[in-house]
Amino acid sequence: MPQNFTLELSAPDKDFLLSIAKLSISRALKGSFDEAALPVPESSVLSAPLGAFVTLKKEGRLRGCIGRLQEEAPLYLTVSRMALAAAFNDPRFPALQSGEFAELEFDISIMGPITACREPENVVIGRHGLIMKQGNRQGLLLPQVPVEWNWNREEFLAATCNKAGLQQNAWQQAWKQDGVELYWFEAVVI
Protein backbone atom coordinates (compact mmCIF):
# COMPACT_ATOMS: atom_id res chain seq x y z
CA MET A 1 0.00 0.00 0.00
CA PRO A 2 1.34 3.47 -0.77
CA GLN A 3 2.70 5.32 2.19
CA ASN A 4 0.48 8.15 3.38
CA PHE A 5 1.56 11.08 1.23
CA THR A 6 1.60 14.31 3.14
CA LEU A 7 2.89 17.64 2.02
CA GLU A 8 2.97 20.56 4.40
CA LEU A 9 1.30 23.34 2.47
CA SER A 10 0.23 26.48 4.27
CA ALA A 11 -2.83 28.44 3.19
CA PRO A 12 -0.53 31.00 1.49
CA ASP A 13 1.24 28.13 -0.36
CA LYS A 14 -2.09 26.85 -1.67
CA ASP A 15 -3.17 30.36 -2.63
CA PHE A 16 0.14 30.90 -4.43
CA LEU A 17 -0.27 27.73 -6.53
CA LEU A 18 -3.86 28.61 -7.44
CA SER A 19 -2.81 32.15 -8.35
CA ILE A 20 0.04 30.84 -10.54
CA ALA A 21 -2.40 28.60 -12.43
CA LYS A 22 -4.86 31.45 -12.95
CA LEU A 23 -2.18 34.01 -13.79
CA SER A 24 -0.58 31.72 -16.37
CA ILE A 25 -3.86 31.15 -18.22
CA SER A 26 -4.93 34.78 -17.93
CA ARG A 27 -1.66 36.05 -19.37
CA ALA A 28 -1.70 33.43 -22.15
CA LEU A 29 -5.21 34.51 -23.15
CA LYS A 30 -3.90 38.08 -23.43
CA GLY A 31 -0.83 36.96 -25.38
CA SER A 32 1.53 38.15 -22.66
CA PHE A 33 2.60 34.93 -20.91
CA ASP A 34 6.30 34.75 -20.06
CA GLU A 35 7.36 31.98 -17.69
CA ALA A 36 10.44 33.97 -16.64
CA ALA A 37 8.14 36.78 -15.44
CA LEU A 38 6.17 34.57 -13.03
CA PRO A 39 6.52 35.41 -9.35
CA VAL A 40 8.93 33.13 -7.47
CA PRO A 41 7.57 31.61 -4.25
CA GLU A 42 9.20 32.23 -0.91
CA SER A 43 8.25 28.75 0.33
CA SER A 44 10.85 26.08 -0.43
CA VAL A 45 8.17 23.37 -0.73
CA LEU A 46 6.81 25.13 -3.83
CA SER A 47 10.23 24.86 -5.44
CA ALA A 48 10.50 21.10 -4.81
CA PRO A 49 10.42 18.90 -7.93
CA LEU A 50 6.96 17.32 -7.74
CA GLY A 51 4.48 16.14 -10.33
CA ALA A 52 1.06 17.79 -10.51
CA PHE A 53 -2.21 17.75 -12.41
CA VAL A 54 -4.34 20.81 -13.03
CA THR A 55 -8.05 20.24 -13.52
CA LEU A 56 -10.26 22.94 -14.99
CA LYS A 57 -14.03 22.80 -14.64
CA LYS A 58 -16.71 25.02 -16.07
CA GLU A 59 -20.20 24.90 -14.56
CA GLY A 60 -19.12 21.81 -12.62
CA ARG A 61 -18.11 19.92 -15.77
CA LEU A 62 -14.61 18.96 -16.84
CA ARG A 63 -13.06 21.55 -19.17
CA GLY A 64 -9.48 20.28 -19.18
CA CYS A 65 -7.09 18.18 -17.13
CA ILE A 66 -3.43 17.55 -17.81
CA GLY A 67 -0.53 16.73 -15.57
CA ARG A 68 2.79 15.09 -15.01
CA LEU A 69 3.30 12.10 -12.76
CA GLN A 70 6.83 13.13 -11.83
CA GLU A 71 8.75 16.25 -12.58
CA GLU A 72 12.20 17.71 -12.30
CA ALA A 73 10.99 21.31 -12.47
CA PRO A 74 9.90 23.21 -9.35
CA LEU A 75 6.28 22.54 -8.36
CA TYR A 76 5.10 26.10 -9.05
CA LEU A 77 6.44 25.91 -12.64
CA THR A 78 4.87 22.49 -13.13
CA VAL A 79 1.52 23.94 -11.99
CA SER A 80 1.91 26.84 -14.43
CA ARG A 81 2.79 24.53 -17.32
CA MET A 82 -0.01 22.05 -16.57
CA ALA A 83 -2.56 24.86 -16.22
CA LEU A 84 -1.61 26.09 -19.69
CA ALA A 85 -1.74 22.56 -21.09
CA ALA A 86 -5.16 21.90 -19.52
CA ALA A 87 -6.50 25.17 -20.93
CA PHE A 88 -5.07 24.95 -24.42
CA ASN A 89 -3.78 21.45 -25.19
CA ASP A 90 -6.19 18.88 -23.73
CA PRO A 91 -7.14 16.96 -26.89
CA ARG A 92 -10.64 16.30 -25.53
CA PHE A 93 -11.56 20.00 -25.64
CA PRO A 94 -11.11 23.04 -27.87
CA ALA A 95 -8.63 25.64 -26.67
CA LEU A 96 -9.99 27.84 -23.91
CA GLN A 97 -11.46 31.17 -25.04
CA SER A 98 -11.18 34.47 -23.12
CA GLY A 99 -14.91 34.54 -22.35
CA GLU A 100 -14.66 31.25 -20.45
CA PHE A 101 -11.93 32.30 -18.01
CA ALA A 102 -14.20 33.90 -15.38
CA GLU A 103 -16.27 30.70 -15.20
CA LEU A 104 -13.36 28.35 -14.49
CA GLU A 105 -12.92 26.36 -11.30
CA PHE A 106 -9.39 25.13 -10.55
CA ASP A 107 -8.16 21.97 -8.81
CA ILE A 108 -4.49 21.17 -8.37
CA SER A 109 -3.42 17.63 -7.48
CA ILE A 110 0.15 17.33 -6.24
CA MET A 111 1.39 13.83 -6.92
CA GLY A 112 2.82 11.47 -4.34
CA PRO A 113 4.97 8.42 -5.11
CA ILE A 114 3.60 5.87 -7.59
CA THR A 115 3.89 2.19 -6.66
CA ALA A 116 2.64 -1.15 -7.96
CA CYS A 117 -0.83 -2.05 -6.70
CA ARG A 118 -0.92 -5.79 -6.14
CA GLU A 119 -3.83 -5.55 -3.71
CA PRO A 120 -6.73 -3.85 -5.52
CA GLU A 121 -9.02 -4.87 -2.67
CA ASN A 122 -7.15 -2.31 -0.54
CA VAL A 123 -7.89 0.67 -2.82
CA VAL A 124 -9.55 3.37 -0.72
CA ILE A 125 -11.98 5.71 -2.44
CA GLY A 126 -10.91 9.33 -2.01
CA ARG A 127 -7.41 8.39 -0.93
CA HIS A 128 -5.88 6.52 -3.87
CA GLY A 129 -5.53 7.44 -7.51
CA LEU A 130 -5.03 4.66 -10.05
CA ILE A 131 -3.03 4.03 -13.21
CA MET A 132 -3.83 1.05 -15.42
CA LYS A 133 -1.35 0.03 -18.12
CA GLN A 134 -1.00 -2.56 -20.82
CA GLY A 135 1.50 -2.05 -23.60
CA ASN A 136 1.16 1.51 -24.88
CA ARG A 137 -2.29 1.93 -23.34
CA GLN A 138 -2.59 3.83 -20.11
CA GLY A 139 -5.40 5.34 -18.08
CA LEU A 140 -5.11 7.49 -14.97
CA LEU A 141 -7.80 8.68 -12.59
CA LEU A 142 -7.06 11.05 -9.71
CA PRO A 143 -8.23 10.23 -6.16
CA GLN A 144 -11.07 12.76 -6.25
CA VAL A 145 -12.69 11.30 -9.39
CA PRO A 146 -14.52 8.33 -7.80
CA VAL A 147 -15.78 10.61 -5.02
CA GLU A 148 -17.22 13.05 -7.59
CA TRP A 149 -18.93 10.18 -9.44
CA ASN A 150 -19.97 8.30 -6.28
CA TRP A 151 -18.21 5.12 -7.46
CA ASN A 152 -17.39 2.13 -5.32
CA ARG A 153 -13.98 0.43 -5.54
CA GLU A 154 -14.94 -1.94 -8.36
CA GLU A 155 -16.49 0.88 -10.41
CA PHE A 156 -13.34 2.96 -9.90
CA LEU A 157 -11.09 0.10 -11.02
CA ALA A 158 -13.33 -0.60 -14.04
CA ALA A 159 -13.40 3.09 -15.01
CA THR A 160 -9.59 3.25 -14.86
CA CYS A 161 -9.41 0.23 -17.18
CA ASN A 162 -11.94 1.86 -19.49
CA LYS A 163 -9.87 5.06 -19.61
CA ALA A 164 -6.89 2.94 -20.68
CA GLY A 165 -8.98 1.41 -23.47
CA LEU A 166 -8.98 -1.99 -21.77
CA GLN A 167 -11.78 -4.33 -20.77
CA GLN A 168 -13.43 -3.20 -17.56
CA ASN A 169 -12.27 -6.28 -15.67
CA ALA A 170 -8.62 -6.03 -16.80
CA TRP A 171 -7.68 -4.89 -13.28
CA GLN A 172 -8.35 -8.45 -12.08
CA GLN A 173 -5.49 -9.65 -14.30
CA ALA A 174 -2.97 -7.04 -13.14
CA TRP A 175 0.43 -8.58 -12.45
CA LYS A 176 -0.99 -12.03 -13.37
CA GLN A 177 -1.18 -11.63 -17.14
CA ASP A 178 1.76 -10.39 -19.22
CA GLY A 179 1.83 -6.65 -19.57
CA VAL A 180 -1.20 -5.82 -17.39
CA GLU A 181 -0.08 -3.42 -14.67
CA LEU A 182 -1.96 -1.52 -11.98
CA TYR A 183 -0.39 1.31 -9.95
CA TRP A 184 -1.67 3.50 -7.17
CA PHE A 185 -0.69 6.80 -5.65
CA GLU A 186 -1.92 9.50 -3.32
CA ALA A 187 -2.19 13.20 -4.05
CA VAL A 188 -2.65 16.40 -2.13
CA VAL A 189 -5.58 18.21 -3.73
CA ILE A 190 -6.11 21.96 -3.50
Side-chain angles (χ1 to χ4, degrees):
M1 183 169 303
Q3 229 177 10
N4 283 351
F5 175 61
T6 57
L7 187 65
E8 296 300 322
L9 290 175
S10 66
D13 290 341
K14 294 175 183 178
D15 290 343
F16 185 90
L17 290 176
L18 287 167
S19 71
I20 283 292
K22 293 175 183 178
L23 182 65
S24 297
I25 294 172
S26 174
R27 286 183 178 173
L29 286 167
K30 295 173 185 170
S32 63
F33 177 77
D34 176 6
E35 186 175 272
L38 288 174
V40 177
E42 294 179 16
S43 171
S44 61
V45 71
L46 300 183
S47 294
L50 293 167
F53 277 70
V54 174
T55 303
L56 305 176
K57 291 185 180 177
K58 181 180 163 188
E59 298 175 356
R61 299 176 70 192
L62 184 65
R63 180 60 179 85
C65 181
I66 293 192
R68 294 222 187 258
L69 300 175
Q70 299 169 329
E71 188 60 61
E72 294 180 15
L75 175 59
Y76 80 99
L77 289 180
T78 300
V79 167
S80 170
R81 293 169 184 168
M82 296 307 101
L84 292 169
F88 304 110
N89 301 115
D90 187 328
R92 299 170 291 181
F93 302 96
L96 188 76
Q97 300 298 310
S98 295
E100 297 177 278
F101 181 75
E103 302 174 60
L104 291 180
E105 303 161 37
F106 290 74
D107 282 347
I108 299 169
S109 302
I110 303 166
M111 304 295 291
I114 299 162
T115 58
C117 178
R118 297 185 186 271
E119 304 156 341
E121 67 277 5
N122 290 331
V123 170
V124 176
I125 298 298
R127 176 177 171 195
H128 297 120
L130 297 174
I131 301 170
M132 189 74 197
K133 286 181 166 185
Q134 185 177 33
N136 62 356
R137 295 179 179 190
Q138 176 175 306
L140 178 147
L141 290 175
L142 296 167
Q144 60 269 36
V145 171
V147 174
E148 293 170 1
W149 288 94
N150 199 30
W151 289 335
N152 63 32
R153 178 184 305 115
E154 289 75 24
E155 291 169 324
F156 182 30
L157 287 156
T160 307
C161 293
N162 188 49
K163 186 152 185 204
L166 303 174
Q167 293 182 356
Q168 291 188 351
N169 64 350
W171 63 270
Q172 296 171 341
Q173 298 305 314
W175 309 108
K176 299 173 190 164
Q177 183 178 337
D178 284 343
V180 180
E181 303 169 10
L182 177 63
Y183 297 90
W184 52 4
F185 60 91
E186 294 182 17
V188 172
V189 181
I190 55 174

